[in-house]
Amino acid sequence: MSKIDESRVFIPVRIAVLTVSDTRSLEEDASGQILVERIENAGHILADRALVRDDTAEITAHLRRWIEDDQVDAVISTGGTGVTGRDVTPEAFEQVIEKPIPGFGELFRMLSYAKIGTSTIQSRALAGLAQGTYLFALPGSRGAVKDGWDDILRFQLDSRHVPCNFVELMPRLREK
């Protein structure tokens, strides 16, 4: 079973938060704010925060900027992962991801199923890597953001998590 090993050193991760929404502003962005609070409360660094419309070009432009920024280790987005015509976050992520992490979406939906049942099938949460930067796309609801962070990301982005975590892999992500 996984756990936090307090004898290990905590390494803060520099995380950018991207909200994808046609209807909210940053001031009204409850899901993004939940992520920011959880990131900072866990001891990580909020590298940047932005809100973009449900537009593939806008989403990929922000992702590419953060992927190129050495001060960003990971990006977590919220919103646009559903199945409606305006939900294009997965398509945007797929344009920049070099190495998918399919287990993230699978695990998210498995954990979500326990809470919301078959409605989780509407989520296209996903993750991957691009140029050594972790990319995570969560649904836009407050519950989904809490579940994604509390049940997955807070552990995988904690260097003390055993038996393994994403942080310990960071020095090797750009290997060829």
Side-chain angles (χ1 to χ4, degrees):
M1 190 64 165
S2 62
K3 65 176 186 161
I4 299 297
D5 180 350
E6 298 290 344
S7 70
R8 296 177 79 171
V9 175
F10 176 80
I11 300 169
V13 177
R14 298 167 297 200
I15 304 169
V17 173
L18 180 65
T19 298
V20 178
S21 177
D22 285 337
T23 60
R24 284 180 265 165
S25 67
L26 275 179
E27 295 77 30
E28 303 164 329
D29 178 22
S31 294
Q33 189 57 39
I34 288 168
L35 272 175
V36 167
E37 290 168 5
R38 280 169 160 69
I39 287 165
E40 291 176 337
N41 288 341
H44 297 297
I45 299 160
L46 180 65
D48 201 359
R49 182 177 179 190
L51 185 141
V52 297
R53 292 179 305 123
D54 288 281
D55 179 84
T56 304
E58 285 188 42
I59 298 166
T60 58
H62 261 82
L63 293 175
R64 289 183 200 287
R65 184 171 52 113
W66 285 333
I67 289 164
E68 294 293 328
D69 187 343
D70 289 338
Q71 297 305 305
V72 175
D73 301 315
V75 176
I76 305 173
S77 76
T78 174
T81 63
V83 296
T84 71
R86 295 292 298 155
D87 291 323
V88 296
T89 300
E91 288 78 11
F93 269 61
E94 288 166 359
Q95 287 185 21
V96 299
I97 286 176
E98 298 165 346
K99 188 174 284 195
I101 305 172
F104 177 81
E106 295 163 358
L107 179 58
F108 176 83
R109 284 180 286 281
M110 183 195 80
L111 295 168
S112 181
Y113 178 77
K115 297 176 183 183
I116 65 168
T118 60
S119 295
T120 193
I121 201 165
Q122 295 181 28
S123 166
R124 296 186 301 146
L126 74 145
L129 282 164
Q131 297 180 35
T133 302
Y134 287 111
L135 304 172
F136 304 99
L138 293 171
S141 75
R142 292 184 300 274
V145 165
K146 290 174 185 176
D147 293 346
W149 179 267
D150 295 346
D151 297 341
I152 305 171
L153 292 174
R154 80 173 170 120
F155 297 111
Q156 282 300 299
L157 295 177
D158 191 323
S159 56
R160 302 166 301 167
H161 182 263
V162 292
C164 58
N165 59 75
F166 285 143
V167 180
E168 65 193 1
L169 300 175
M170 289 169 57
R172 300 181 48 214
L173 294 179
R174 296 176 190 235
E175 292 176 343
K176 298 285 180 189

